[in-house]
Amino acid sequence: RFLDVNPTDADGWRNMVILNMMDDNYAEAIKVSEKALEYNPDNTDLYGYVAGCYHQRKEYPKAISLYEKILTMTDSTDLERNADIITAMGDIYSELKDSVKTVECYERALKIDPINSGTLNNYAYYLAQRGEDLDRAERMAALAIKDEPDNANFIDTYAWVYFAKKDYTKA
């Protein structure tokens, strides 16, 4: 195997991890990622894949811990990356039904990067699910779609916000 000959090849490891994730084989993706990190201990992308796998496996404390580690390793001037990481943490807290931490994460992410389309979308969806602050959710969903007009997830969120507002025609 190529990685046996060149174990420091982060791109090769990344490809193996992604292939396992595409097969929904998150346990193997974690195993491969952890091996990759032995040779690439500063690669935040590899840590991100592991965190994402733990999230998919509903091993939330492990995912949160890794996202926090990635934050400490990420350049503070990389606003989009920092917002993405904090948004992922907010998504996990949402699944854990911890509304305080969910809102804290989404607000923190928007403070860092106010036009982050992923954050705007996920926060809008969260608000629509709860039936809270739906006018703000509509504005956030509209901004996300403006940035990525063909993103099916964003379009779905926008429709969901209208549904929550009982505007069934627009939904």
Side-chain angles (χ1 to χ4, degrees), residues 47-56 59-68 70-71 80-96 101-110 116 118-120 122-123:
Y47 279 109
Y49 290 123
V50 179
C53 289
Y54 281 131
H55 185 171
Q56 289 297 317
E59 296 181 47
Y60 300 129
K62 289 180 180 180
I64 290 285
S65 178
L66 282 174
Y67 284 130
E68 288 172 347
I70 296 165
L71 277 176
E80 183 176 7
R81 174 92 166 142
N82 280 285
D84 288 344
I85 295 163
I86 296 166
T87 297
M89 292 169 58
D91 296 343
I92 291 171
Y93 286 123
S94 176
E95 290 179 41
L96 291 170
K101 286 187 178 181
T102 301
V103 170
E104 283 176 4
C105 285
Y106 290 151
E107 290 290 341
R108 182 175 164 204
L110 286 177
N116 185 296
T119 304
L120 290 165
N122 292 14
Y123 198 1

Side-chain angles (χ1 to χ4, degrees), residues 130-166:
R130 296 178 59 86
E132 296 175 355
D133 207 353
L134 295 174
D135 290 336
R136 182 177 185 206
E138 181 184 345
R139 289 190 304 275
M140 288 191 294
L143 285 171
I145 285 180
K146 182 178 179 186
D147 190 45
E148 295 185 40
D150 297 325
N151 186 315
N153 288 326
F154 294 2
I155 294 166
D156 179 68
T157 295
Y158 202 34
W160 188 246
V161 170
Y162 279 121
F163 183 83
K165 291 177 87 170
K166 298 184 182 358

